[in-house]
Amino acid sequence: SVEAGFAVRMPVSLDAEYGVIGALLLDNDAYDRVGDALLPEHFHSDKNRLVYAEIAAQINANKVCDVVTVGIALKGQVALSELNSMAQFVPSAANVRRYVATLIERYKSRMLLQVSAEITELAQDHDRSIEDRVEAAQGQLGKLISETPRDDWVSVGEGMAQHMQVLEDRANGISNAMPTGLEAVDDFLSGGARPGSVIIIGARPSMGKTALAMTIGTNMATDYVVGMLSMEMPHSDLRDRLAAMLGHMSLATVLQPRKYGGFDWGKVSNSAERARALNMHVSDASGLNINQIRSKARNLKRRHGLNVLILDYIGLAEGLDRKQQRAYQLEEISRGLKGLAKELDIAVLCLAQLNRKVEDRADQTPVLSDLRDSGAIEQDADVIMFVHRPIQSRPDMGFEWRDYAKVSIPKNRQGRCGVFNLSYIGEQTRFESWMGDAPITRTAYGSKGNDL
């Protein structure tokens, strides 16, 4: 028959489908071992899909499920004799996980055939750039890749027994925290950025958030693999900044050497040598969505490894559906970044803009509600760090404020919250540790105290 020929051509295992249904009808408790992985669409047969959906619905409603209850609920759509045959297809539910693994493998094989057809269409769509088409193809393939479902319930006794090695390593100075190279930051982060965490650096424009991210990135790239998605600046601008930062030259000189007395070629050579030693990779692709970010991160991890991903900045990322409200798009991106950090076991350092209303307050130190457009960023982040340079909003402040930056941490899941000081070397677009106390505003009547 046509149906039989179609079944032969398609990757299908009806035996596995009957095996799963039969096992669940025999033993409802078996659903606990497969329900988190198995969906109705994994079944190729419409009839089997219908039966499984009803079984799942009854078990999830805490009802006892058998041939009769399913038959009554389906109201004759599947004959009772067929349900009875399925229930007797296997002797027990012992191998239900193997049936499910086969069933899902066949489903993904069918999806792979479908995706291959879509990729064939993409290959012939010459109205789109080849880069766009390859990215779309990678996104389609990425949807088929997922981790094998596992039983992640662990008794606290077993868990603590395993964790003793981690505690012993910490006692011996061994930690999975990755130092940022800025002592004050590491102090608040309990040693540094941690795999699986999302760190938000928020600030108003021109406060130095990109400079702080690049400072941390270049510091960490001596010992770890760092990837930077720069959606705001092209490669050329970032390389100018790197030359100034690594060579300790003013950015103005890098951009206009003849105007400012020419290059110190020793510093230029030093910046190139330092850059060569860094394990840091940069992409300046713009307008990425979370699937493209995920694809690029996976690709970098596979080719070079990846410990830290920097995203500059979240406000320039696109939602999968651009017609959705911006808050929903940012929620999608924020949630995706957290999932990506856990999936790849990396730290994600994400930059974010703040609302303009922060500039209307007397004390312009940012607070959590200043994060622009979405509360999801606040919710998903493990650490939120705000950068504020008072002299940016009050240029008339004294010279002692020129390099001062106040950094506040209002959220920190694995450490303490508080405020610390950093030094911003503006002409070199880099940060370093602040030495001593914060500056004090001077008035005609004496000290006024810290005016931040």
Side-chain angles (χ1 to χ4, degrees):
S1 69
V2 174
E3 184 176 354
F6 182 71
V8 169
R9 290 194 301 272
M10 289 293 288
V12 175
S13 175
L14 292 177
D15 287 346
E17 295 188 17
Y18 293 143
V20 170
I21 292 172
L24 295 178
L25 288 172
L26 286 174
D27 181 4
N28 290 179
D29 289 341
Y31 183 79
D32 292 337
R33 305 202 296 275
V34 301
D36 63 332
L38 188 60
L39 299 172
E41 53 261 38
H42 291 150
F43 290 80
H44 177 259
S45 162
D46 291 339
K47 188 175 293 185
N48 293 342
R49 189 181 305 127
L50 187 66
V51 172
Y52 174 73
E54 181 56 35
I55 290 173
Q58 292 192 22
I59 293 175
N60 283 326
N62 293 319
K63 297 178 181 178
V64 176
C65 173
D66 58 25
V67 169
V68 176
T69 63
V70 173
I72 292 173
L74 293 179
K75 299 177 181 178
Q77 295 180 78
V78 182
L80 205 61
S81 58
E82 290 182 84
L83 290 171
N84 193 50
S85 296
M86 292 181 191
Q88 297 179 29
F89 192 80
V90 291
S92 74
N95 287 325
V96 66
R97 287 177 68 88
R98 290 179 60 185
Y99 306 151
V100 167
T102 300
L103 197 155
I104 292 177
E105 186 275 330
R106 296 294 194 277
Y107 165 78
K108 288 191 174 182
S109 296
R110 295 194 298 274
M111 292 301 99
L112 188 57
L113 284 176
Q114 180 178 319
V115 168
S116 67
E118 293 173 358
I119 291 175
T120 300
E121 291 183 10
L122 280 171
Q124 299 172 4
D125 185 3
H126 302 294
D127 292 333
R128 298 171 64 179
S129 70
I130 186 63
E131 292 82 8
D132 186 32
R133 285 180 279 158
V134 169
E135 195 71 59
Q138 289 178 336
Q140 292 283 9
L141 290 170
K143 294 176 183 178
L144 299 179
I145 302 172
S146 62
E147 295 183 0
T148 302
R150 58 189 178 89
D151 182 5
D152 55 2
W153 287 101
V154 180
S155 76
V156 292
E158 291 178 18
M160 281 305 297
Q162 297 170 10
H163 199 62
M164 289 302 293
Q165 183 60 53
V166 175
L167 299 179
E168 185 177 334
D169 288 343
R170 288 177 186 167
N172 294 324
I174 303 171
S175 171
N176 69 341
M178 298 175 286
T180 65
L182 294 171
E183 186 177 349
V185 175
D186 293 338
D187 184 41
F188 274 83
L189 299 187
S190 302
R194 296 179 182 274
S197 65
V198 174
I199 301 171
I200 298 292
I201 296 180
R204 288 293 296 153
S206 301
M207 288 293 175
K209 58 183 180 294
T210 299
L212 180 56
M214 289 185 67
T215 297
I216 291 173
T218 53
N219 287 347
M220 298 182 77
T222 58
D223 298 307
Y224 305 97
V225 183
V226 177
M228 182 172 183
L229 295 173
S230 175
M231 289 188 281
E232 185 172 36
M233 293 186 189
H235 280 300
S236 57
D237 289 2
L238 285 170
R239 289 164 186 163
D240 284 335
R241 283 189 169 223
L242 277 171
M245 179 185 298
L246 299 176
H248 289 193
M249 300 179 287
S250 74
L251 182 60
T253 299
V254 171
L255 296 174
Q256 295 180 289
R258 298 187 66 177
K259 180 177 180 179
Y260 293 98
F263 282 133
D264 180 332
W265 284 104
K267 290 184 176 181
V268 173
S269 298
N270 183 50
S271 69
E273 286 299 317
R274 289 186 64 189
R276 199 170 290 120
L278 297 178
N279 206 341
M280 187 173 185
H281 308 269
V282 179
S283 167
D284 66 351
S286 59
L288 299 176
N289 62 43
I290 188 59
N291 283 347
Q292 293 168 328
I293 292 170
R294 189 181 292 115
S295 174
K296 285 183 173 293
R298 285 173 176 162
N299 181 267
L300 180 58
K301 177 133 186 163
R302 184 173 60 252
R303 293 172 54 202
H304 302 287
L306 182 62
N307 302 108
V308 182
L309 178 68
I310 300 172
L311 178 65
D312 184 13
Y313 60 95
I314 193 171
L316 295 177
E318 298 283 356
L320 295 175
D321 183 356
R322 297 185 184 183
K323 296 178 182 178
Q324 292 282 357
Q325 291 184 350
R326 187 57 183 160
Y328 176 86
Q329 294 182 40
L330 285 175
E331 180 180 346
E332 176 183 78
I333 298 162
S334 174
R335 185 172 60 246
L337 289 176
K338 181 58 183 175
L340 182 64
K342 294 177 67 176
E343 175 195 339
L344 298 185
D345 198 33
I346 61 174
V348 174
L349 191 62
C350 180
L351 277 58
Q353 288 275 27
L354 302 183
N355 291 313
R356 186 176 282 112
K357 64 183 181 181
V358 66
E359 298 173 355
D360 298 331
R361 298 195 299 262
D363 180 359
Q364 296 187 5
T365 301
V367 296
L368 289 174
S369 60
D370 293 324
L371 283 167
R372 176 179 285 179
D373 292 327
S374 176
I377 300 173
E378 175 187 343
Q379 176 181 313
D380 295 327
D382 296 281
V383 178
I384 296 178
M385 188 182 306
F386 291 134
V387 183
H388 176 57
R389 293 194 294 121
I391 201 167
Q392 280 298 109
S393 51
R394 290 182 52 187
D396 59 332
M397 298 180 80
F399 179 82
E400 65 271 22
W401 290 88
R402 188 190 67 169
D403 297 337
Y404 175 76
K406 174 184 178 182
V407 182
S408 57
I409 297 184
K411 179 180 180 181
N412 189 359
R413 284 199 174 117
Q414 289 291 88
R416 74 185 197 277
C417 300
V419 177
F420 58 90
N421 307 319
L422 288 178
S423 180
Y424 177 59
I425 314 302
E427 62 271 16
Q428 299 173 12
T429 65
R430 66 183 177 89
F431 281 81
E432 61 182 31
S433 296
W434 177 270
M435 308 304 293
D437 297 326
I440 296 176
T441 299
R442 303 290 177 182
T443 70
Y445 304 100
S447 298
K448 189 177 180 181
N450 287 359
D451 188 357
L452 304 182

